[in-house]
Amino acid sequence: RHRLFVIMLFLLTVILAAAFFVIRHILRPVKWLNTGVKEVSRGNLKHRVPLKKSDELRDLAAAFNNMTDRIRDMLQTKEQLLYDVSHELRTPITRMKVELEFLEDSQAKKSLQSDIEELEKMVSEILETARRQHKYANLEKQPVNLVDLIKQTAAAFENRPPGVEFVDLPSEIEVEIDPDQIKTVFENVLSNAVKYSQPDSAPLQISAKTEESYVVIRIRDFGMGIPEADLAHIFEPFYRVDKSRTKDTGGFGLGLSLCKTIMEAHGGRIEIDSTPNVGTTVTLFFAESEG
């Protein structure tokens, strides 16, 4: 009986182990799909789900890949259309500016000049954003002390209310980046933090540390914050939390979209956490330099 019990226990263990690996193998495509959904939700439309088996799950994976391809093509078409239209607008804007100079000075002329300047600024920003995005295929990466770069960029904001303070900032963190592009990210984030803070708010806090395989820069403000409903859309081009889109708040909603593109081109990412009337924290993740 003892020997029979041992044999039965051994067979049961083998059967359970075999069942575990078989089920795991069968459900592996589901795991791939789950990973694909997470990647697409993060904006990575280049991710592909492997096609290994010839069954319904393979068909589902193929449909998922086709869907991401179509979404990516739609977004690229939209961006290209925006770029083409903006480029074509430059000529008539220039003509309007020239013809406007021949009009007599009046309040109507000043109003038209202001509107044309705003339109020209928007077109220039669209074209500059498109130019930068196409440039990312050839990033000029080099070893850079990220701490020095963020300090140099923040220097321009230290005398602007509410000011800037550094928290637990090490003396050196070296990463492989294109310094000009990352400086653009820092400038956009710091500019937004100052813009949406009150003069009497606590100073912006900048910290840096290493987390797992990333170097993490956090920029925290204590301003008006961002409503939860807007957080899911703030990286979309032309999206602004201020729905009035007045000149006083400035910008065209392209800054954070550009920051996201730059960070992803560097193999990193940008995340934003915010609470209305409490403040906003922008977290920038940089891949650590090898070696």
Side-chain angles (χ1 to χ4, degrees), residues 142-147 171-177 210 215 286-291:
Q142 55 185 280
V144 175
N145 184 352
L146 200 58
V147 176
S171 60
E172 181 178 3
I173 300 179
E174 187 174 287
V175 291
E176 291 273 346
I177 58 172
T210 301
V215 172
F286 298 87
E288 285 188 294
S289 298
E290 294 182 3

Side-chain angles (χ1 to χ4, degrees), residues 47-60:
H47 182 81
R48 285 291 168 273
V49 176
L51 305 176
K52 297 293 184 180
K53 302 177 67 177
S54 299
D55 56 12
E56 288 78 4
L57 288 175
R58 176 189 171 88
D59 295 339
L60 181 59

Side-chain angles (χ1 to χ4, degrees), residues 9-51:
L9 183 61
F10 174 76
L11 291 174
L12 182 60
T13 302
V14 171
I15 292 171
L16 290 175
F20 171 78
F21 287 108
V22 169
I23 293 174
R24 184 178 180 181
H25 177 74
I26 293 173
L27 295 180
R28 187 165 53 174
V30 177
K31 184 178 180 180
W32 292 337
L33 280 169
N34 184 47
T35 302
V37 170
K38 290 180 179 178
E39 288 295 319
V40 170
S41 67
R42 289 175 52 189
N44 180 15
L45 295 176
K46 295 181 180 180
H47 182 81
R48 285 291 168 273
V49 176
L51 305 176

Side-chain angles (χ1 to χ4, degrees), residues 79-91:
E79 292 173 358
Q80 186 62 40
L81 175 63
L82 187 62
Y83 175 80
D84 293 340
V85 170
S86 301
H87 192 273
E88 292 298 323
L89 281 173
R90 274 195 157 178
T91 300

Side-chain angles (χ1 to χ4, degrees), residues 23-249:
I23 293 174
R24 184 178 180 181
H25 177 74
I26 293 173
L27 295 180
R28 187 165 53 174
V30 177
K31 184 178 180 180
W32 292 337
L33 280 169
N34 184 47
T35 302
V37 170
K38 290 180 179 178
E39 288 295 319
V40 170
S41 67
R42 289 175 52 189
N44 180 15
L45 295 176
K46 295 181 180 180
H47 182 81
R48 285 291 168 273
V49 176
L51 305 176
K52 297 293 184 180
K53 302 177 67 177
S54 299
D55 56 12
E56 288 78 4
L57 288 175
R58 176 189 171 88
D59 295 339
L60 181 59
F64 181 88
N65 289 339
N66 290 334
M67 178 191 70
T68 55
D69 285 339
R70 293 180 63 184
I71 293 174
R72 190 179 72 252
D73 291 342
M74 288 170 60
L75 292 176
Q76 289 177 345
T77 301
K78 175 184 174 183
E79 292 173 358
Q80 186 62 40
L81 175 63
L82 187 62
Y83 175 80
D84 293 340
V85 170
S86 301
H87 192 273
E88 292 298 323
L89 281 173
R90 274 195 157 178
T91 300
I93 289 175
T94 303
R95 286 202 300 264
M96 285 190 290
K97 289 180 65 178
V98 172
E99 293 173 3
L100 199 61
E101 293 299 321
F102 293 97
L103 298 179
E104 295 183 359
D105 291 337
S106 64
Q107 187 60 39
K109 179 180 178 180
K110 291 180 180 179
S111 178
L112 282 172
Q113 283 178 328
S114 177
D115 290 339
I116 291 174
E117 287 173 1
E118 184 180 10
L119 181 59
E120 185 178 36
K121 182 179 178 182
M122 181 179 67
V123 170
S124 297
E125 192 165 333
I126 292 171
L127 294 175
E128 178 64 13
T129 300
R131 184 189 68 81
R132 288 176 180 271
Q133 288 177 337
H134 288 298
K135 183 182 175 182
Y136 296 145
N138 299 308
L139 288 173
E140 298 178 2
K141 289 187 176 182
Q142 55 185 280
V144 175
N145 184 352
L146 200 58
V147 176
D148 285 346
L149 185 61
I150 186 64
K151 284 184 175 180
Q152 292 169 8
T153 310
F157 298 87
E158 289 179 342
N159 295 325
R160 294 171 57 181
V164 176
E165 68 176 10
F166 300 101
V167 181
D168 298 328
L169 208 62
S171 60
E172 181 178 3
I173 300 179
E174 187 174 287
V175 291
E176 291 273 346
I177 58 172
D178 184 324
D180 291 335
Q181 305 301 337
I182 296 303
K183 185 177 181 181
T184 298
V185 174
F186 290 156
E187 287 174 342
N188 271 294
V189 174
L190 288 169
S191 178
N192 284 339
V194 169
K195 184 189 302 180
Y196 296 108
S197 295
Q198 299 297 328
D200 57 350
S201 300
L204 311 182
Q205 293 183 350
I206 301 176
S207 62
K209 63 179 180 179
T210 301
E211 294 182 2
E212 298 179 353
S213 59
Y214 289 97
V215 172
V216 180
I217 299 286
R218 285 190 173 87
I219 300 174
R220 181 183 182 188
D221 69 62
F222 300 89
M224 63 179 65
I226 303 171
E228 184 177 355
D230 292 306
L231 282 174
H233 306 283
I234 53 178
F235 293 114
E236 297 175 6
F238 294 103
Y239 188 87
R240 288 176 56 185
V241 177
D242 174 25
K243 302 301 187 295
S244 66
R245 308 189 74 87
T246 61
K247 297 180 183 179
D248 297 334
T249 56

